[in-house]
Amino acid sequence: MYETIKYSVHDQVATIILNRPENLNAFTLKMNHEITIAIKQAERDITVRVIVITGEGRAFCSGQDLSEVTEEMDHGEVLRTRYGPMIKQIHCCEKPIIAAVNGVAAGAGFSLALACDFRLMSEKASYAQAFIQVGLIPDSGNLFYLSKIVGYAKALEISVFGERINAEQSLKLGLANKTIQMDSWEEEVAAYTKHIAKMPTKAIGIIKRTLKSSYDLTFNEFLEREAFGQRIVGQTNDHREGVTSFLEKRKPTFNGN
């Protein structure tokens, strides 16, 4: 079904692997569209409780494949028709999405990682805000997410100077939730993912939705949105299981509903 990515579902985890290792998993038109479709597929699959995006080979994603760039290209239209739909699909997905950054994430590849909910980084991985090197501004939602994670001043510095950010620096800046040594990469990514997959999936989705709404609402509006969300999760099986397990003094077994 897919040509530029690999898609699989195992133990409630949908894994999307960017699969152009010979080009450091650089974006093409087809890859943008296939990632968008894969996220939709994972969101609709009731067996999927967490999504992982990673790269094949030694890179996560090196950004736009420059062989597709022409002098006549309307960069704004490219964003509206290719990158925008992909990032919006990730942004609107209420299932948790983990970026397993196995190598360099540059340009729009950095944007892709930023759009995810959690970022695990290999000790050898790095981010590169490469747009300034070709006279462009960071795109694909990059500045939207980056400024919220590191603040205005640091986001401006990262974007203007375009220097690489290694895994250790990323952890300090909040751009990585965890850094992992290469000799235990697959095992630790799997363990982190499995842990999230066993959590109350609906509650995680409502947490994501409520956090995102907090930037646009007044405090009173936010409290109403909070109450609305709590009403929804208060009616889930996972909430009932959480209360029951607490009273029975055992670990809860959540089913995601």
Side-chain angles (χ1 to χ4, degrees):
M1 179 177 177
Y2 295 110
E3 296 179 19
T4 65
I5 66 173
K6 295 178 183 177
Y7 180 88
S8 62
V9 176
H10 181 69
D11 287 344
Q12 302 176 313
V13 178
T15 301
I16 299 170
I17 303 176
L18 311 187
N19 190 33
R20 301 185 71 232
E22 69 282 1
N23 300 100
L24 300 181
N25 301 319
F27 285 118
T28 60
L29 171 62
K30 181 171 286 291
M31 181 182 279
N32 290 139
H33 289 168
E34 289 190 341
I35 292 171
T36 305
I37 293 168
I39 295 293
K40 287 182 183 178
Q41 182 177 346
E43 188 166 23
R44 292 170 179 167
D45 188 339
I46 60 173
T47 69
V48 171
R49 294 174 66 181
V50 63
I51 302 166
V52 177
I53 301 177
T54 191
E56 185 69 43
R58 61 191 179 90
F60 177 73
C61 176
S62 59
Q64 171 64 40
D65 188 331
L66 295 181
S67 69
E68 287 194 347
V69 176
T70 65
E71 291 185 4
E72 299 77 23
M73 178 177 285
D74 182 334
H75 293 288
E77 192 61 20
V78 169
L79 292 179
R80 292 187 186 98
T81 59
R82 291 173 50 175
Y83 287 94
M86 178 184 73
I87 296 298
K88 286 178 184 177
Q89 193 63 49
I90 293 170
H91 185 80
C92 294
C93 180
E94 294 205 347
K95 293 182 180 180
I97 304 178
I98 299 170
V101 185
N102 54 303
V104 66
F110 184 20
S111 306
L112 175 63
L114 289 173
C116 296
D117 303 307
F118 304 95
R119 283 161 293 280
L120 307 179
M121 288 186 74
S122 154
E123 60 179 345
K124 296 186 180 298
S126 62
Y127 296 127
Q129 191 76 303
F131 298 93
I132 197 70
Q133 310 298 343
V134 290
L136 295 176
I137 67 169
D139 61 32
S140 306
N142 187 295
L143 295 177
F144 179 87
Y145 295 110
L146 185 63
S147 61
K148 288 173 173 56
I149 295 171
V150 303
Y152 171 89
K154 195 65 181 178
L156 181 63
E157 178 188 321
I158 290 170
S159 302
V160 169
F161 289 95
E163 296 175 351
R164 286 211 176 201
I165 308 169
N166 63 32
E168 183 180 354
Q169 292 169 322
S170 297
L171 190 62
K172 291 178 180 177
L173 288 169
L175 294 170
N177 297 91
K178 184 177 183 179
T179 59
I180 302 172
Q181 295 184 354
M182 281 306 297
D183 58 4
S184 59
W185 170 251
E186 292 186 5
E187 294 82 0
E188 292 200 45
V189 169
Y192 193 96
T193 303
K194 184 177 180 181
H195 178 69
I196 293 178
K198 292 185 176 297
M199 297 178 75
T201 312
K202 188 69 175 180
I204 293 175
I206 297 297
I207 289 171
K208 289 175 59 172
R209 187 194 306 179
T210 307
L211 272 171
K212 289 170 183 175
S213 72
S214 68
Y215 295 102
D216 303 314
L217 302 176
T218 66
F219 184 62
N220 287 340
E221 289 171 336
F222 177 80
L223 290 180
E224 181 56 35
R225 182 66 60 88
E226 176 185 79
F228 177 76
Q230 196 72 299
R231 180 178 183 274
I232 293 174
V233 294
Q235 297 173 342
T236 61
N237 292 328
D238 280 344
H239 169 60
R240 286 188 283 273
E241 165 62 10
V243 173
T244 301
S245 64
F246 176 80
L247 295 174
E248 295 177 353
K249 298 181 179 180
R250 60 173 174 81
K251 289 185 178 181
T253 302
F254 298 117
N255 62 18
N257 300 309

